[in-house]
Structures are given as structure tokens and as C-alpha cells.
Amino acid sequence: MSPRPLALTLAFVALPVAAAAQGPAAPASAPASAPAPSLEPRRLVQPLGDDWPTYSGDYTGKRFSPLTQVDRASVKHLTLAWTARLTAGAGAAGRARFGGGSPVIVGGTGPEGLPAVPANVKGTPLMVNGTLYVTTPDNAWALDARDGREFWHYFWRTQGSTPIANRGVGIWKDYLYFVTPDNFFVSLDAKTGKERWNKVHADFTQQYFSTMAPIVVDDHLLLGTGNDIDSPGYIQSFDPLTGDVKWRFYTVPMKEGDPGLDTWPSLQSAKYGGGHPWLPGVYDPETRLYIFGTGNPIPAYTAGRGEGDNLYTCSLVAVHVDTGKMAWAFQTSPHDMHDWDSAQTPILFEGMVKGKMRKLVSTAARNGYFFTLDRVTGEHLVTSKFGGDANWAREVAKDGSVRRNPDKDPTVPGAITNPTSGGTINWEPPAYNPQTGLFYVTERNGFSIYYLTDPDPRGSMGLGGKEEVSVGSTGNFLTAIDPTTGSIKWRRPYPSASGFGSGGGGGGLLTTAGNLVFAGDAGGNFVAYDAETGAPLWHSRIGNVSNAAISYMLDGRQHILVAAGDTLYAFALYE
Amino acid sequence: MTAARWVAAATFGVALSVTLRAGDAPQQPAAQPPVIEGHGGPPAPGTQTATPAPRPGQGQAQGRFPAQQRPKGDPDVIQRGRGIFAGACGPCPGADARGGQLGGPNLLRSQLALSDKAGEALFPVIKNGRPGTTMPPSPLPDADINAVIAFVHDLQSKIGGQGNPPPGEEVELNILVGNAKAGAGYFAARCASCHSATGDLAGLATRVPEPKALQNLWVSGGRTVARGGGARQTGAPRAVTTATVTLPSGQTATGTLLRLDDFLVTIALPDGSQRTFRRAGDTPKVDVTDPLTGHRALLTVLTDADMHNVTAYLVTLK
């Protein structure tokens, strides 16, 4: 290298350093702008490739990356490419360390000058055109996917609410969409982070709170509700340009004549019956069905819902994306009494069932049971138990649903029941690898004693009326299921010192064409497992993994990106 | 509201919200009481979670939702409203507003009542009734109607996290439904190989007089409680898991197991020092001795009746 270019290089390096020393008030360069994503909705119909353009990677929910640079042989060379620590709120603290960015863009109607919820990434970052889009409650960032440098940061001043998580953004052309805990639905310019508009998608006074990553299907932006008090669940389709509502689908009967009303003691009970579709669903372009899971009925643990099935809570539901009309529904646990929702993101795949190739959908539900249906017709094909020690069921009914043993409802003297109310699995996404034909899911085997504390025959409200005491566990596992039969192929324990099964698989899973499954274990390790056997092949202790990893190819290099709390870690191979 | 209460309310709110979904809770080990009423349920024992930094403000001073963020009403007016409500309205929505004998709705979750800010929605409905429903016009003076509204607002402000109803009257709940004699039999068959009513468990019910606490203690083996830091209850010896690590050379080290994953094992040696060994598959050999293995095995076979019977027996060990 000649002296002249070297001096030039140094000059370029020196400039931003000097600017950074002056603090964030003096940005190093012109207002940052991310590359335009220009994500046409039809791209989302294609299989997942080098990018990660929607919550589950593609519409199928598989979280299967076709990238093969990192495989079972090369994974031992996987090493840290960069980290990025996210600082929530309107302040700029922490950003200078990573080269700063533009001033934080602030929206929202809440009070000023108050501390933000600390950043904790429990959603899926999207990667489109070299840019990562990441969220935490009230916050969205665009980062350079090559090194994590911040392009922009948007902060929403909330009015309050329950900031448990944000699952990520949706992208339509050059626009981003995300929800706030106080139920606004905000559209940003993806290049600059500037707000285009915000709309209310659920009523804050009714104590709805929002976490879901919007799903884009053509000119539909699909959003579901969350709430713990006695309110009805629904999903809506919005026009991505204007934010106008196209349709709304309630998961519970809202008026006389609605299907399922006879499974509730009264219309009043149904209308306050819950069934929230907390998480993104999946989409089948051939049938134009959007398939998603619904939450538990409310009141969650007590009397007050009669003895009926409480449709369509704890169900897998398919609606036509153009009309919002239900095509079919399958209830995984009629009359749930433990807050075990079935809102988990299902997975679409093709498989041989009873000698015939079928278009299938599978879900591993919070109640510890696994289900496979024909995704076109909703016909039930498989029910099996994947939560090894789940003990709440009386029988698998002829229709494939799992009937509860009422003795295991919360009782005054206590009922010892598996799983805990957290479930065998919770929100953490599963994954499916078409090369192994296996469905991977986190399996937790916790026991609780559930005490009924509100024996009022009217029932309690929300999640009230019970006391739950965790009394031990028989282990947590990374579990691989053959979804065409429901049989468990292997279970890899997440060891822990307590021997009680604590942690592991916390943020969800990624699988790749390199025949790997990536998961966080109970010891704070981010681990690459052999997708065929479950053997651990590589790990890095980054702290407890808080989301499902994604993978993308950039500049000829496959990245594996994962979060542990407020920090993103990108891993790659250096040849 | 004082500053101290203000912060406490905010802390409580966030703590509840974070346990909403099991996987949503951060996983740093930290003290946590054994009773968890989270939506997500308790984290597995041993992963007890830290409460994140409180989030003062953001309307959290008086709660997380609008019904909890209204300006606080005059306590005297609320008290007066309580009496008027019980008398004039009780039969329909119930004196606790959660639905009454005449089939009135649960007012605490009603859209009208939740969205009402300062009586603008509730007052006309109480004053004029709702045509087409069973809600009649009220003859109450305006001041009484306002007192009723203040009472309903106050009740709504006490809706707990995750839609828990406001605290009502204390209900005495008896968990002692088991048969002590049958419990003694079960104890002799299943527990007596490790425990003795005249040995380690002598006086157990004196040390743990509350039956529910006693039941939780014996079923869990005390570990969930013991690991909760200050919340540890007496009554059972602290169960310590130990491990013996055997190196390929044949050298062994035994100590309290502190950490175990697929890659490392850490033990505390008798002198208090820690040793960490790298693991590669089955090398070195790690033999774990967990005194609660029996309790864990019991979890999968214990029936509720046996549990209640054993509890009924153990409460006699005064």
C-alpha cells in the first residue's frame, strides 16, 4: 500500500471518531438513511433466500434458511462478526460507542421525559437489502446488516400498558409497520424512520395491549390482539397505504347467530371470552388462507364459562385473506382451564400421511400436545403428546382434540398439574427442516400446584382467581418430532445444575440447510445442534438467548443473527 | 399518591407484566418468591427471574391502563358511593359490580365503564337508564349518582395485573380435605426411605403451620423455596446437589454442583473454591447426586388425593 492512500484512509477514520467525541448532538454525517427495502409483497410468496423479509422468514413458518455456507462441518469455525447493543428511549446513551446515528425520532402521545422499558429483543429482526429492522416495546431500529451500525431509531412515547414484548416489524414496499404496547399501529418510512401515520388498532381503555409482528400479504396488513382482561380477540386486515381497516375477524361469538355461540353459556360470556391471536400466523398462497392460533378463554382458571368448548379459543383457525371469513377451525383444547393458549405460530409443509402426499399444517401447543391437519380442508390427521409429562388430559377425542380431566382444573386444596401455566411451549417459535423432515420445538416439563382462590360461581376475571406454585420439573428439551406421525424422534436435554429443568430454548429456534438447529441452552449458550441427531456442534456463551435466530447472506457471507436481551450478536465464517 | 407508593406501583406493574409469558421473562438467576401468578406461569425452578428496572411514569403512576390512570377520587365520596351502590344497584351488577343475581353485567370489564373518563358516559346511563335493557332510570340525586361513579371508578382502578379482579372479601379456603390416616400410609410407603416423622420432619407442622405452605414445601422438596433467597422456609433440610467429576487420568473432584451445561461443569469444593471442567461428550465423567431425585420422580405419579392425604398427615407433625 502506498503512503498516500494510507493517509487518506486515516483521515476518513479520524473524522467520525472526532465527531463522536462531541456527542450525539453532532452527528458524524448527514442524517442517516437506510437503503430502501423496496420489498414487493409478491417477493414474500417466494421461498426464503438470502434475506429474511417476514416474521418467520417466509409464509410457511418453517424458519428454515436454505443457506449452506455454515454447515455441520464448517460450523466449528463460526465466529463473532459484530455486536450491537440497543438503547431504548429518546436518549442517545450508548449509541456513541457504536458510532452513533441520527437523533432519535420520537412519536406517541404519552408523557415526556420518562424512562423507557429497557431494550429486550424478543421478536424477529427482518433483513432486507442489507438492512436489519429490529424492535423492542416502543422502539424500532434500522441497522446496517454488515456491522450493526445504526441508521435510525424511532421511539414511541407510550400512554402505559403492558410492555411484555414486541415481535417485530412488517414491511410493505418502502414502509415499515409495528405495534406499540398502547395499541397504536405505526407506519414508518423504512429509509429514514420518519413516521407516516399512526392508527389505533385496539382499544386501550379495554386494556388491550399489542405485541404482534404485522404480517404482509399482498395489500393486506394482518394484525392480531392481545389482552388479559375479559375482552374478545380479533385479527384485522389494514390497507398498507392508508391504514384503513379492510376486515375484522373475531375469534369468539359477538352476536346472536355467530358460529360457536352454543359452546358458551351466554352471548355475554362469549363476548368477554378472550381467544387472542397473540402471534403471527402463516399463509398459504394457493388457497389464500391465513392460518393462525388463538389464545385461551377467559376467565382463564375459574368457573364462569359453563362447561362448553368455548369456540374458537385455543384453536387453529384459517381465514380467507381477502374477506376475513373463516374457512375452517380446529380446536386443540376445548374449554381450557390453565391459560394454555394455542396462539403458537404453526408451520406449513408437505408430507406423506398414510401413503399420500398432503399439504399440511402442524402446531405444537402450549398444552403439551402436537397436531397436524390438512391445511386446505382443516381435516384432522395427527394428535400426539410432546410434553412428556403433561398430565391434565382425560382423552384424545375422536375429532383429535384433547379433552381435559376436570379434576386437574385449579381446586381449593390444589391440583398438581403439568405443564405450568407457562406451558410446554410458549411464544417461542418452532422450526421445520424439510431435509430431515423434523419439526423442532422447545419442550418444558414443569409441574405446578394450582389452587383455586376465587370459588365464586360467577367466575373470576382475566387470569385471576388462582394461585400457582411451581414445585419442580422433569426437564426441558430440544425435541424433534416427525410431524406426519407425531412421534418423537429425539429429545436433547438442556442440562442445568439444579437438575430441575430450568431454561433452554427460550427464544425459539432456527434451522438451516446446513442441517443445523440453532437454540439457546439453559446455561446462556447459543448452540448449533446437528439437525439429524441433536448433538451440539458449536456454541458461544452470549447470555440467555431471547429470540429465535435468523440467517442471511450478505457480501457472500452467511450470517447467523441472534439476540440476548438488549444486544444483537452476528456470527459468520472467516475463511 | 406519595412518591414511594408511586414507584412501588410501577415496579409491581412491570414485574407482573414481565411474567406474562414464560418465555418473555428474562432469565438471570435472582431471588423470586415461590408463588407466581404470571400469565406465563412460573419459570422453572432454578431459572427464577430478575425483575427489570422499574418503569416510573408513562401513566404508570396510577397503573398501566386508563381505568387505573384516572385521577384519584375523594375517599369519602367513594365510601358513600359504595353504600349507595350496594343498596340501589346491588341486585343487578352485584355489590362488587362483578355481576348480580338479577343477571346484570360485570361492570368492571364493561366497555362503557372502562372507557368512561369522568362520568360522561356512565352518568346519563344511570340517570336515564338504557331503553331496551333491564337498566331502569335511577331516581338518585345527581350527587349520589356521581358518588356511585366514583365508587365504580375506584373499583376499576384496583383491577390487578392480567385482569385480576379487585380484592374482595376474604374467603376462608380450607385446603385440608385429605385423610391423614391414608396419608400416613402413603408416607410410610413412599417417603420413609428418606424421611422420618420423628427425625428430620419432627415438629414440621410447628415450623410450617400454614397447610398450603406445608403442602408446597413437601411436594417440591423445599427447593423452590430454598432457592428464593430470603423467602426460605424452615421445615426441610436444604437440598444440595453434588457432582463428582472423574478425569481421564482417574483423578476425581467432588463438590456442590454450581453449573452444568453441555460444555462446562462447575463445582464448589469443600474449601469454597470453584473448579470448572470443560466437557466434551462423556469426558470427563460427571456423576450428579441430586437429593431431590425422588421428589422429581414423585411429581409424575403423585395423585391429587395422595397429595392431599399426605398433607393432612404432615399437619399432625406438631
Side-chain angles (χ1 to χ4, degrees), chain A residues 363-388:
Chain A
T363 188
R366 187 160 156 178
N367 64 16
Y369 282 78
F370 177 87
F371 304 88
T372 298
L373 312 178
D374 182 308
R375 71 169 180 259
V376 178
T377 63
E379 180 195 352
H380 170 265
L381 299 170
V382 173
T383 298
S384 71
K385 186 159 96 166
F386 78 98

Side-chain angles (χ1 to χ4, degrees), chain A residues 117 122 138 161 164 228 230 278 339 341 366 414 416 421-422 451 454 458-459 463 466 468 473 498 525, chain B residues 17 20-21 24 37 39-42 44 55 58 64 96 98-99 109 162 164 216 223 261 296 304 308:
Chain A
V117 182
K122 294 187 282 189
D138 298 317
S161 191
I164 55 166
D228 288 327
D230 312 1
W278 294 91
D339 185 24
D341 60 46
R366 187 160 156 178
I416 183 163
S421 66
Y451 295 98
D454 187 356
R458 296 172 300 172
L463 307 186
K466 70 93 176 58
E468 179 184 358
S473 164
S498 75
N525 299 292
Chain B
S17 72
L20 266 172
R21 302 258 158 203
D24 279 330
E37 292 194 76
H39 188 165
R55 186 192 197 201
Q58 313 280 63
R64 286 172 282 139
D96 62 1
R98 281 170 57 187
R109 65 184 188 187
Q162 308 185 326
N164 271 265
N216 299 336
R223 174 163 287 172
D261 60 29
R296 223 172 23 253
D304 295 323
H308 301 148

Side-chain angles (χ1 to χ4, degrees), chain A residues 529-554:
Chain A
Y529 296 93
D530 185 319
E532 284 184 0
T533 66
L537 302 175
W538 169 93
H539 71 282
S540 178
R541 188 164 188 269
I542 60 172
N544 288 303
V545 168
S546 58
N547 76 344
I550 67 167
S551 188
Y552 57 88
M553 188 69 108
L554 202 54

Side-chain angles (χ1 to χ4, degrees), chain A residues 111 114-118 120 122 138 158-165 167 203-209 228-230 268 272 278 296 301 339 341 366 389 407-408 412-416 420-423 426-428 447-449 451-456 458-474 476 492-493 495-503 506 521 523 525 527 529 536 538-539 541 544, chain B residues 6 17-18 20-29 34-47 52-60 64-69 93-94 96-100 105-106 108-112 114-115 156 159-160 162-166 171 173-177 212 215-216 219-220 223-224 227 241 257-263 278-279 290 292 296 299-300 302-304 307-308:
Chain A
L114 300 165
V117 182
N120 190 2
K122 294 187 282 189
D138 298 317
T158 187
Q159 298 170 25
S161 191
T162 308
I164 55 166
R167 304 300 176 203
D203 187 349
F204 186 43
T205 68
Q206 306 299 305
Q207 307 203 3
Y208 285 91
F209 61 93
D228 288 327
I229 199 176
D230 312 1
Q268 180 86 357
Y272 287 100
W278 294 91
N296 53 286
Y301 296 97
D339 185 24
D341 60 46
R366 187 160 156 178
D389 291 318
D407 294 345
K408 288 297 182 185
V412 170
I416 183 163
T420 69
S421 66
N426 201 286
W427 67 274
E428 304 91 337
F447 286 78
S448 283
I449 304 178
Y451 295 98
L452 181 67
T453 57
D454 187 356
D456 191 317
R458 296 172 300 172
S460 192
M461 287 169 55
L463 307 186
K466 70 93 176 58
E467 183 180 310
E468 179 184 358
V469 179
S470 168
V471 291
S473 164
T474 46
N476 294 349
R492 177 81 199 180
S496 68
S498 75
F500 248 54
S502 49
D521 76 0
N525 299 292
V527 186
Y529 296 93
W538 169 93
H539 71 282
R541 188 164 188 269
N544 288 303
Chain B
W6 194 83
S17 72
V18 171
L20 266 172
R21 302 258 158 203
D24 279 330
Q27 296 177 350
Q28 299 88 334
V35 178
I36 301 133
E37 292 194 76
H39 188 165
T47 55
R55 186 192 197 201
Q58 313 280 63
Q60 309 260 331
R64 286 172 282 139
F65 290 100
Q68 298 150 346
Q69 295 170 344
D96 62 1
R98 281 170 57 187
N106 180 339
L108 298 183
R109 65 184 188 187
S110 103
Q111 194 164 342
L112 185 83
L114 281 172
S115 59
Q156 285 189 326
I159 293 175
Q162 308 185 326
N164 271 265
V171 185
L173 297 173
N174 177 24
I175 77 147
L176 285 177
V177 300
K212 191 188 277 185
Q215 180 162 278
N216 299 336
V219 174
S220 67
R223 174 163 287 172
T224 57
R227 292 181 74 86
T241 300
L257 182 63
L258 297 180
R259 172 168 67 149
L260 178 71
D261 60 29
D262 282 320
F263 317 105
R278 190 166 295 287
R279 300 181 72 198
D290 181 352
L292 290 188
R296 223 172 23 253
L299 292 175
T300 62
L302 183 64
T303 66
D304 295 323
M307 177 169 78
H308 301 148

Side-chain angles (χ1 to χ4, degrees), chain B residues 4-311:
Chain B
R5 279 182 67 194
W6 194 83
V7 172
T11 309
F12 183 62
V14 172
L16 271 179
S17 72
V18 171
T19 53
L20 266 172
R21 302 258 158 203
D24 279 330
Q27 296 177 350
Q28 299 88 334
Q32 177 145 335
V35 178
I36 301 133
E37 292 194 76
H39 188 165
T47 55
Q48 315 299 31
T49 59
T51 302
R55 186 192 197 201
Q58 313 280 63
Q60 309 260 331
Q62 298 175 8
R64 286 172 282 139
F65 290 100
Q68 298 150 346
Q69 295 170 344
R70 297 180 183 113
K72 200 90 182 131
D74 179 333
D76 294 336
V77 174
I78 293 167
Q79 192 53 34
R80 202 166 65 82
R82 183 190 316 275
I84 298 166
F85 186 85
C89 316
C92 259
D96 62 1
R98 281 170 57 187
Q101 292 169 351
L102 299 184
N106 180 339
L107 277 189
L108 298 183
R109 65 184 188 187
S110 103
Q111 194 164 342
L112 185 83
L114 281 172
S115 59
D116 184 69
K117 288 188 173 66
E120 76 287 347
L122 283 177
F123 188 93
V125 168
I126 299 173
K127 183 87 178 168
N128 308 321
R130 279 193 139 172
T133 75
T134 54
M135 177 75 186
S138 168
L140 292 172
D142 288 2
D144 286 5
I145 294 178
N146 284 326
V148 164
I149 292 169
F151 164 68
V152 171
H153 282 178
D154 182 65
L155 258 189
Q156 285 189 326
S157 76
K158 292 171 179 158
I159 293 175
Q162 308 185 326
N164 271 265
E169 280 179 37
E170 278 291 314
V171 185
E172 195 68 31
L173 297 173
N174 177 24
I175 77 147
L176 285 177
V177 300
N179 177 317
K181 198 175 164 203
Y186 189 91
F187 183 89
R190 296 297 303 248
C191 313
S193 56
C194 296
H195 299 285
S196 155
T198 53
D200 64 330
L201 300 187
L204 176 66
T206 305
R207 283 174 281 155
V208 187
E210 209 276 305
K212 191 188 277 185
L214 180 56
Q215 180 162 278
N216 299 336
L217 180 73
W218 83 257
V219 174
S220 67
R223 174 163 287 172
T224 57
V225 183
R227 292 181 74 86
R232 181 167 131 78
Q233 295 179 18
T234 54
R238 190 180 184 116
V240 175
T241 300
T242 58
T244 297
V245 178
T246 307
L247 301 172
S249 64
Q251 190 195 354
T252 64
T254 299
T256 305
L257 182 63
L258 297 180
R259 172 168 67 149
L260 178 71
D261 60 29
D262 282 320
F263 317 105
L264 295 173
V265 54
T266 302
I267 57 175
L269 300 174
D271 67 2
S273 64
Q274 294 186 15
R275 270 192 84 179
T276 297
F277 303 86
R278 190 166 295 287
R279 300 181 72 198
D282 296 329
T283 308
K285 191 160 163 277
V286 180
D287 294 303
V288 175
T289 305
D290 181 352
L292 290 188
T293 300
H295 280 261
R296 223 172 23 253
L298 192 62
L299 292 175
T300 62
V301 295
L302 183 64
T303 66
D304 295 323
D306 286 336
M307 177 169 78
H308 301 148
N309 291 342
V310 171
T311 299

